[in-house]
Amino acid sequence: MFKLKLYQADLHYQKGIVLHTASSGAVPALSELCLTAQKGDEVIAIGEARENISYLTGHSADEVRSAVTGICTALDWALPPEDILNQLHDMPHPVSSAPALIDCCLHDLIARNHNQQVCELLGGRATESSTTNQTLFWSPDAEFRELAGNYVRRGFKTLKLRVGIGSFEEDMERLQFLRTSFGADAKLSIDANGTWTTDQAIENLRRLAPLDLDYAEQPIPPGNWDAMIKLAEAAPIPVFADESASTRDDIQTIASLGGRVGAHLKIAKMGGIRPVFTAARQLMEAGAPVMIGQMNEGAAATAAAAHLSIALGVTHRELYGADGLLNDPAEGLRYVDGKLWLSGNSGLGITLETDNLTLLWES
């Protein structure tokens, strides 16, 4: 029998990288929860989820922590890990990031027990690396240009610009700079985090069409599917839902649209690796484009999203979250030559140093 421990850590990015979107505002640090299964001092499985994402989920950090400990207490840890995972997903979960944390820990444990990578456990092939985009958050113009140049010099030429914070003219100028500077080889996209009205979005995307964007993510607020369909039919650029792709009902709606709207799926939104995998397969079978991404998170949570994207074989992958973190206690990922490189070890392939983490709870 093993012991469960729940830890917390505030993670910070290197100078020049500030998480700042239209929905989140400036975020000074990533407040990460790490759940470990331990035998003595040996960590035998790891899960990670960010708790300060109330701007997406509507749940506070205290609510997430309470939900995690409540679920852990309710589960029967004497069962085989596969049965615990089934039990977890048979429960209702109003706070999605709580089961996501436990689900990732269980996937890590099961895959390690089978001496497999998580992507193999999910039916994929073992691999050493994955493609990923990089996101350009809102920042002063000089910092934006320097960061974009640094990403491209490191081999990352798939860039997503966060828009909807300054004026549209500023957004347009930045996209024109990216296209002019990095040429047709650069894959450019935008994420408006729901800040435009439907009419604004249609007009803005028409103006952006000559820049050959790969897609536009969540141009309008979530909740109005008639407006999203109208936008997708009128826009000259593919449209992806993010905040609008959070629940089973959302997935069912997107699957019914005949591929007109894509979905950006995240573990923290949907409650774990298993529900994201199930939703992605449903959407792919319906012909809907799928992106696997993450919140800005540490290496363990990033690895979970990476293994999912590898197993599913999706083209659109957003796995930049651990790049540039200064004090991540988890190790096992590298960002080199335009790719995310995995350790190749079993499970998530991640090791965790717990000495400098804050212990919140243990079983």
Side-chain angles (χ1 to χ4, degrees):
M1 189 65 178
F2 48 80
K3 179 180 284 291
L4 298 172
K5 293 189 177 184
L6 180 65
Y7 298 94
Q8 188 274 340
D10 286 337
L11 307 187
H12 299 87
Y13 286 107
Q14 64 192 34
K15 184 179 178 181
I17 301 177
V18 177
L19 197 171
H20 190 156
T21 74
S23 58
S24 68
V27 178
L30 314 181
S31 182
E32 297 291 316
L33 294 180
C34 293
L35 181 70
T36 63
Q38 297 183 209
K39 287 187 176 179
D41 293 331
E42 180 188 6
V43 175
I44 61 171
I46 303 162
E48 180 184 18
R50 198 169 126 219
E51 62 177 355
N52 61 335
I53 55 172
S54 60
Y55 56 89
L56 176 69
T57 64
H59 299 292
S60 68
D62 285 343
E63 288 175 308
V64 176
R65 296 180 187 188
S66 178
V68 170
T69 56
I71 296 168
C72 285
T73 301
L75 292 171
D76 184 355
W77 294 93
L79 295 172
E82 291 86 351
D83 292 339
I84 303 172
L85 185 61
N86 291 335
Q87 187 183 32
L88 172 69
H89 289 298
D90 284 340
M91 298 177 176
H93 296 295
V95 183
S96 61
S97 46
L101 175 67
I102 301 164
D103 169 285
C104 289
C105 186
L106 285 167
H107 274 88
D108 189 32
L109 179 61
I110 295 166
R112 291 195 201 197
N113 286 347
H114 289 281
N115 196 29
Q116 291 181 311
Q117 295 182 13
V118 167
C119 59
E120 294 178 283
L121 183 71
L122 297 173
R125 299 180 63 181
T127 186
E128 293 182 343
S129 66
S130 172
T131 57
T132 180
N133 69 357
Q134 290 281 2
T135 282
L136 295 161
F137 293 106
W138 181 256
S139 61
D141 195 58
E143 293 180 13
F144 152 76
R145 294 186 178 214
E146 181 179 4
L147 189 59
N150 287 340
Y151 284 144
V152 172
R153 282 189 289 274
R154 293 171 58 205
F156 296 97
K157 296 193 74 175
T158 301
L159 304 173
K160 183 170 82 174
L161 180 68
R162 300 288 183 150
V163 300
I165 301 169
S167 69
F168 176 72
E169 298 305 324
E170 290 176 288
D171 294 333
M172 186 86 169
E173 288 176 6
R174 292 187 172 201
L175 287 162
Q176 288 172 330
F177 166 80
L178 294 174
R179 180 59 74 210
T180 301
S181 299
F182 307 126
D185 289 343
K187 289 186 177 181
L188 305 181
S189 60
I190 59 169
D191 186 349
N193 291 110
T195 55
W196 294 338
T197 67
T198 305
D199 289 342
Q200 285 175 331
I202 292 171
E203 176 61 22
N204 291 349
L205 295 185
R206 284 175 177 165
R207 290 182 62 187
L208 291 172
L211 293 175
D212 191 26
L213 299 188
D214 199 29
Y215 61 89
E217 186 173 331
Q218 200 65 52
I220 62 175
N224 187 338
W225 281 109
D226 288 340
M228 183 68 87
I229 293 167
K230 176 184 175 182
L231 171 62
E233 290 177 340
I237 296 166
V239 174
F240 273 74
D242 180 0
E243 289 87 346
S244 292
S246 299
T247 68
R248 290 181 182 179
D249 287 346
D250 292 337
I251 300 307
Q252 186 63 43
T253 298
I254 296 170
S256 72
L257 297 180
R260 287 178 288 179
V261 176
H264 187 173
L265 305 181
K266 299 175 182 176
I267 292 170
K269 286 192 303 183
M270 301 204 70
I273 291 172
R274 175 177 288 183
V276 171
F277 187 83
T278 300
R281 292 296 297 270
Q282 178 184 354
L283 291 168
M284 293 165 73
E285 289 172 3
V290 172
M291 178 177 357
I292 298 297
Q294 57 170 143
M295 307 304 298
N296 280 66
E297 295 170 288
T302 300
H307 281 282
L308 251 177
S309 65
I310 292 164
L312 290 163
V314 296
T315 300
H316 294 94
R317 304 181 186 186
E318 185 162 295
L319 309 171
Y320 62 80
D323 188 25
L325 286 173
L326 296 173
N327 62 326
D328 195 339
E331 295 183 352
L333 300 182
R334 296 179 299 123
Y335 292 84
V336 181
D337 297 331
K339 292 184 178 181
L340 170 63
W341 294 84
L342 309 173
S343 71
N345 295 330
S346 62
L348 294 173
I350 297 296
T351 59
L352 184 70
E353 176 55 62
T354 62
D355 287 350
N356 294 321
L357 304 181
T358 300
L359 180 63
L360 301 178
W361 172 87
E362 59 184 312
S363 62

